[in-house]
């Protein structure tokens, strides 16, 4: 049985725009402003199964946070239905809250001036847990998330990575079967991100906790998710296994090279030059089909390379590439039909 | 010079726009000012209870005092301490400090904008409401320009004093205590709630030696034209220069502004390093 | 981990939760011990400055509206006590406005507890203790100056009045916090309530009809300090039977405020995408 089922969910917001400039500001004091209707989520359907990690990908503003808020019962869908553990999370908020955990990446639920340990103890009484089993769970979490070193340090003295780990632990104290991780790696250093992903993976595997992971970083998704859904402007753009997403849309890479002198003609047997800027040149190629070392060698044969780095395609581009192709497919379809 | 002004002018404009964007806060600010004014009127009416005069001020003197005090209080509603303190604690000051402009001047520009706004949209409405409903001594026209000058000096005094107090935030790491401390000072020593002539002689003399009365008592009584009482320093200036008492009081304000400006510069030089360290 | 609960168990669980969280808050404040003491000290000095201003006025007059200086101090003390318990134990409710504006209120909705409980537990303002200490001190010294004897009946009445006043303030603040569900960033209502509260530092008989109607109905702060003072001091304009009014008004206000809060929650739309 699915843990979470969303069917044809729509969510609209009213947005009031402020007029620009000084005159507009003064006018705003006296006039009622008319709202603009924005569809943050549009006809979305998906589900989360027990034991899986579902990635929710989308650019900023695509509607990811809104989805999490509806799934946790904070706001109600304008239309459509959401069922969490078989009940409407909005109608039965307290009951639902007892069964899921949530970590909002940029905001912490820990008491700022006290140690994480104290927050854990407070959560025992907030969730009305049994002392014995809660202590066992806390011990397990401290072990898996490696919190022992700073368990008794005030939260305000922790690094962001350490704090996020404690937040994840705090979200799991009451042994929920599903947790929502909303952009948990934002702002964490590269090494910290790696460790966080490893920790999340362990939790999912050891305790079979399902995870809904929102992120706009491909690396998070690649490391952790079994399945992904891609949201674009509130709509479902892709749903399926991670491999197919990567296969289909995420292959493009950019190699940015810094040469000793501005290059003239550059002949390449694979890859295409997408940008030139003084001494720097950007070459676009397809991972898997074209080899980065070969391209590098080819350029080096023609010009002296001082430095280079390789960039993955940013998620926004992956999505717009996907959207473009879908649009093309739809256009082609209508041509065929006509 | 004009270029420098226009650079800071941006901050003025942005501050005005920012303030205006919170419509409900705006109207409530006026409401609060009106309530405080009403309180003063009712209280002093009960205190006078039909008496002709108290501490050298007649009842109408008192109501006039309250009306003009409401005007000044409205105009000085801004809080440099809160602005500086909260920016420091949240690190928001970093953005301002990295600009190629003087940080204190940026704050001054913002506070000047707030002063103008509050004067127009809080001070004046309450003032006119007061004039309409409460007995009021119409001032001689001559004293009005002097009053305007005095009001500007009052703003500067308020700013400089609050700026100095705000420096302490780098040492005690909290600014809500500072606003409370400032409120205590203002309650007691500016003549905002109780005019200085009411204070017992010893206390009064001490208060006249401090700059605070220049923020309220001085401009409010200058408006009237003939102050019931003048500070010793102003009397000194008056007798030395044969200027009328009101002009002397303005000079006293100016003198304090000068002294405080020097102090503020010195203090800023000491603490600006620590200000920068915290931000960002 | 759901446990079926009887109402009694639910209440016990709520109280236990409240106790645990407020203990954490107090400990949190104590971790800044020096700042906490400093702030409380400043707080008391501020209250004292208000009293000093009164004293200055009374160097010129004997009475204000028939109230002598000790009687005014008595009223002042009750006024201070009327917010002491609220500050100490329930002031967290004030954060609602800020949390809603920042979008952080959602975190409170992801917990299996009523938001009001979690809000009130967010902080403990130890200045409330300073209020209690200072208020009682002024009360005692004012009553000494007046030869006011504290009989058992009067002590019980005082206890009832202080608790009712705080309940009333809690209600007002909760209602004020609830407004932020509809009007985001409307901190001004809190300031207006505090401005009206300034009026209750003085006997209500000095005000015009309009203000008095306001203080007895829309923002019924008259019941927080003036009526209790008048009843205890035996003032002519308030008959003794009115002693029942403060607790009743306080309860009604609290119930109404919780109702408004529930309405606000329902219409809450979180900010952000």
């Amino acid at each position: 049985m699915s843990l979470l089922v969303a069917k044809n969910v729509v969510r609209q917001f009213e947005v009031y725009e402020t007029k620009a400039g000084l005159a507009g500001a003064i006018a705003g004091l006296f006039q009622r402003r008319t709202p603009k209707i924005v569809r943050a989520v549009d006809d979305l359907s998906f589900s989360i199964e027990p034991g899986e990690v579902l990635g929710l990908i989308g650019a900023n503003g695509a509607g990811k946070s809104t989805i999490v808020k509806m799934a946790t019962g904070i706001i109600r869908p304008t239309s459509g239905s959401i069922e969490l553990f078989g009940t409407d999370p909005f109608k039965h908020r307290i009951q639902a809250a007892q069964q899921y955990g949530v970590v909002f990446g940029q905001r912490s639920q820990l008491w700022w001036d006290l140690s994480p340990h104290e927050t854990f103890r407070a959560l025992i009484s907030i969730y009305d847990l049994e002392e014995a089993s809660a202590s066992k769970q806390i011990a397990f979490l401290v072990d898996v998330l490696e919190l022992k070193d700073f368990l008794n340090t005030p939260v305000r003295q922790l690094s962001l990575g350490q704090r996020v780990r404690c937040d994840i632990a705090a979200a799991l104290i009451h042994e929920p079967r599903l947790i929502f991780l909303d952009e948990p790696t934002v702002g964490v250093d590269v090494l910290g991100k790696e460790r966080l992903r490893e920790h999340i993976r362990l939790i999912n595997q050891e305790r079979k906790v399902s995870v809904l992971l929102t992120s706009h970083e491909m690396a998070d998704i690649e490391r952790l998710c079994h399945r992904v859904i891609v949201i674009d402007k509130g709509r479902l753009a892709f749903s399926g296994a991670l491999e197919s997403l990567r296969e289909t849309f995420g292959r493009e890479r950019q190699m940015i090279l810094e040469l000793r002198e501005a290059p003239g003609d550059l002949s390449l047997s694979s890859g295409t030059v997408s940008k030139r800027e003084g001494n720097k040149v950007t070459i676009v190629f397809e991972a898997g089909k074209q080899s980065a070392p070969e391209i590098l060698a080819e350029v080096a044969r023609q010009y002296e390379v001082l430095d280079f780095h390789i960039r993955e395609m940013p998620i926004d581009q992956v999505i717009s590439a996907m959207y473009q192709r879908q649009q093309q497919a739809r256009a082609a379809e209508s041509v065929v039909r006509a | 010079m004009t270029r420098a002004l226009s650079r800071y002018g941006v901050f003025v404009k942005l501050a005005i726009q920012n303030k205006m964007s919170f419509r409900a806060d705006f109207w409530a600010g006026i409401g609060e000012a009106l309530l405080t004014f009403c309180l003063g009127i009712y209280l002093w009416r009960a205190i006078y209870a039909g008496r002709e005069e108290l501490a050298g001020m007649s009842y109408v003197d008192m109501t006039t005092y309250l009306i003009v005090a409401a005007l000044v209080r409205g105009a000085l509603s801004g809080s440099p301490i809160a602005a500086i303190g909260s920016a420091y604690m949240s690190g928001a000051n970093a953005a301002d400090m990295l600009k190629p402009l003087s940080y204190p001047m940026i704050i001054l520009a913002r506070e000047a904008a707030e002063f103008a706004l509050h004067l127009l949209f809080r001070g004046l409405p309450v003032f006119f409401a007061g004039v309409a409903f409460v007995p009021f001594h119409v001032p001689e026209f001559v004293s009005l320009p002097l009053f305007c000058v005095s009001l500007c000096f009052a703003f500067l005094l308020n700013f400089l004093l609050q700026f100095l107090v705000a420096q302490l935030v780098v040492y005690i790491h909290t600014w809500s205590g500072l606003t409370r401390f400032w409120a205590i000072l203002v309650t007691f020593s500016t003549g905002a709630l109780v005019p200085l002539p009411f204070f017992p002689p010893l206390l009064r003399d001490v208060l006249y030696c401090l700059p605070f009365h220049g923020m309220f008592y001085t401009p409010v009584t200058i408006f009237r034209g003939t102050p019931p009482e003048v500070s010793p320093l102003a009397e000194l200036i008056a007798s030395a220069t044969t200027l009328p008492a009101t002009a002397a009081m303005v000079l006293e304000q100016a003198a304090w502004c000068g002294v405080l400006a020097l102090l503020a510069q010195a203090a800023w030089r000491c603490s600006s390093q620590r200000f920068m360290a915290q931000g960002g | 981990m759901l446990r079926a609960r009887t109402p009694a168990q639910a209440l016990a669980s709520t109280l236990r939760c409240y106790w645990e969280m407020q203990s954490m808050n107090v400990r949190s404040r104590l971790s800044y011990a020096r700042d906490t003491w400093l702030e409380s000290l400043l707080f008391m000095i501020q209250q004292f400055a208000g009293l000093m201003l009164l004293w200055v006025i009374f160097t010129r007059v004997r009475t204000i509206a028939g109230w002598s200086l000790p009687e005014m101090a008595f009223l002042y003390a009750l006024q201070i006590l009327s917010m002491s318990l609220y500050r100490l134990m329930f002031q967290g409710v004030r954060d609602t406005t800020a949390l809603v504006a920042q979008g952080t209120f959602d975190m409170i909705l992801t917990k299996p507890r009523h938001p009001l409980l979690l809000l009130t537990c967010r902080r403990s303002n130890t200045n409330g203790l300073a209020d209690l200490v200072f208020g009682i001190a002024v009360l005692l010294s004012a009553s000494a100056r007046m030869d006011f004897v504290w009989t058992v009946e009067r002590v019980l009445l005082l206890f009832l009045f202080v608790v009712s006043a705080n309940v009333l303030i809690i209600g007002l603040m909760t209602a004020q916090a609830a407004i932020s569900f509809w009007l985001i960033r409307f901190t001004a209502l809190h300031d207006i309530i505090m401005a009206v509260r300034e009026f209750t530092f003085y006997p209500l008989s000095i005000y015009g009809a309009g203000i008095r109607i306001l203080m007895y109905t829309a923002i019924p702060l008259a019941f927080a300090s003036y009526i209790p003072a008048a009843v205890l001091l035996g003032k002519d304009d308030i008959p003794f039977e009115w002693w029942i009014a403060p607790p009743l008004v306080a309860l009604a206000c609290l119930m109404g405020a919780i109702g408004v809060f529930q309405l606000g929650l329902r219409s809450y739309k979180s900010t952000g995408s």
Side-chain angles (χ1 to χ4, degrees), chain B residues 22 24-25 28 32 35 39 42-43 45-47 51 54-55 172 177 180 183-184 187-188 193-194 197-199, chain C residues 42-43 45-46 52-53 56-57 59-61 64 185-188 191-192 195-196 198-199 202 206-208 211:
Chain B
F22 297 120
D25 270 355
E32 204 195 325
L35 278 174
L39 173 58
Y42 279 119
L43 177 62
R45 187 181 70 169
I47 293 174
R51 268 174 267 253
L54 275 176
I172 64 177
R180 199 181 298 285
I184 297 174
T187 307
F188 216 62
L193 301 170
V194 177
F198 275 78
F199 283 73
Chain C
L42 269 181
F43 205 70
I45 294 180
Q46 191 179 26
M52 286 296 288
L53 266 190
V56 166
I57 296 177
T59 57
R60 306 280 172 169
V61 294
I64 300 180
R185 286 207 78 130
F186 193 49
T187 52
D191 298 332
I192 291 193
V196 173
E198 292 292 310
F199 282 71
Y202 311 102
I206 69 178
Y207 302 117
I211 303 266

Side-chain angles (χ1 to χ4, degrees), chain A residues 240-300:
Chain A
L242 185 58
E243 282 68 47
S244 32
L245 179 69
R246 206 182 350 198
E247 287 289 299
T248 331
F249 304 111
R251 316 216 69 169
E252 191 180 283
R253 300 275 185 275
Q254 287 180 342
M255 185 187 302
I256 300 157
L257 302 123
E258 191 182 333
L259 308 173
R260 181 167 283 284
E261 52 188 22
D265 278 326
L266 190 60
S267 72
L268 294 169
S269 56
S270 54
T272 44
V273 176
S274 78
K275 198 163 82 173
R276 287 168 198 269
E277 212 179 297
N279 290 6
K280 292 213 178 108
V281 66
T282 306
I283 298 180
V284 169
F285 65 96
E286 233 181 282
K289 286 227 184 92
Q290 294 155 339
S291 155
E294 271 182 28
I295 296 176
L296 182 60
E298 215 179 345
V299 175

Side-chain angles (χ1 to χ4, degrees), chain A residues 101-119:
Chain A
V102 58
V103 176
F104 291 108
Q106 282 103 318
R107 309 173 213 140
S108 174
Q109 63 161 309
L110 309 167
W111 255 256
W112 199 244
D113 300 313
L114 298 177
S115 67
H117 180 70
E118 309 251 21
T119 298

Side-chain angles (χ1 to χ4, degrees), chain C:
Chain C
M1 295 294 302
L2 285 172
R3 309 206 286 190
R5 282 195 234 132
T6 66
Q9 283 177 323
L11 182 62
S13 157
T14 305
L15 288 174
R16 213 181 323 133
C17 179
Y18 181 81
W19 172 255
E20 286 254 9
M21 291 180 63
Q22 285 293 34
S23 321
M24 276 183 54
N25 284 327
V26 174
R27 260 178 291 151
S28 171
R29 295 285 303 215
L30 289 179
S31 76
Y32 285 113
R34 186 202 56 168
D35 288 350
T36 308
W37 283 121
L38 204 66
E39 216 191 314
S40 295
L41 189 64
L42 269 181
F43 205 70
M44 276 200 270
I45 294 180
Q46 191 179 26
Q47 314 281 34
F48 189 68
L51 258 185
M52 286 296 288
L53 266 190
L54 260 186
W55 174 80
V56 166
I57 296 177
F58 271 92
T59 57
R60 306 280 172 169
V61 294
R62 282 282 96 166
T63 60
I64 300 180
W67 288 59
S68 63
L69 178 57
E71 288 176 331
M72 295 282 278
F74 194 91
L75 177 60
Y76 193 86
L78 279 181
Q79 173 66 298
I80 290 177
L81 288 171
S82 70
M83 270 186 88
S84 55
L85 299 174
Y86 157 75
R87 282 211 172 99
L88 187 60
M89 303 195 289
F90 295 94
Q91 198 171 25
V93 106
R94 212 181 136 185
D95 292 341
T96 313
T97 319
L99 291 179
V100 168
Q102 292 163 13
T104 323
F105 189 76
D106 300 340
M107 299 220 290
I108 291 191
L109 292 179
T110 60
K111 297 282 186 295
R113 293 279 181 184
H114 194 281
L116 269 178
L117 174 65
L118 294 174
L119 281 168
T120 57
C121 287
R122 276 178 61 85
R123 50 182 165 122
S124 169
N125 189 351
T126 41
N127 290 332
L129 271 177
D131 271 349
L132 269 176
V133 167
F134 188 75
I136 303 238
V138 173
L139 208 58
L140 288 177
S141 76
S143 32
R145 297 260 161 113
M146 290 188 286
D147 297 321
F148 181 88
V149 179
W150 284 101
T151 63
V152 174
E153 181 193 49
R154 281 175 169 173
V155 171
L156 285 175
L157 272 178
L158 176 70
F159 188 73
L160 176 69
F161 286 148
V162 171
V163 171
S164 314
N166 277 281
V167 169
L168 177 61
I169 302 264
I170 293 171
L172 280 176
M173 292 307 176
T174 305
Q176 178 270 132
I179 305 283
S180 59
F181 290 128
W182 290 285
L183 295 173
I184 304 187
R185 286 207 78 130
F186 193 49
T187 52
L189 187 55
H190 179 267
D191 298 332
I192 291 193
I193 295 181
M194 297 306 271
V196 173
R197 189 168 166 260
E198 292 292 310
F199 282 71
T200 61
F201 275 102
Y202 311 102
L204 294 193
S205 40
I206 69 178
Y207 302 117
I211 303 266
R212 265 185 291 176
I213 292 178
L214 176 72
M215 316 253 346
Y216 276 93
T217 54
I219 304 183
L221 285 168
F223 297 93
S225 50
Y226 178 66
I227 306 256
V231 166
L232 279 172
L233 293 172
K235 286 284 168 184
D236 295 329
D237 55 336
I238 306 285
F240 182 77
E241 290 73 43
W242 278 54
W243 68 267
I244 194 74
L248 288 178
V249 173
L251 268 173
C253 185
L254 185 63
M255 298 283 121
I258 294 182
V260 173
F261 193 88
Q262 297 283 86
L263 276 177
L265 263 186
R266 246 191 282 164
S267 86
Y268 170 64
K269 280 177 277 197
S270 50
T271 53
S273 57

Side-chain angles (χ1 to χ4, degrees), chain A residues 35 43-45 62 66 118 144 151 172 202 210 212 249 253 278 291 321 336:
Chain A
D43 195 28
L44 182 66
S45 302
T66 312
E118 309 251 21
V144 165
L151 190 59
L172 290 164
L202 267 173
S210 298
L212 175 65
F249 304 111
R253 300 275 185 275
S291 155
V336 168

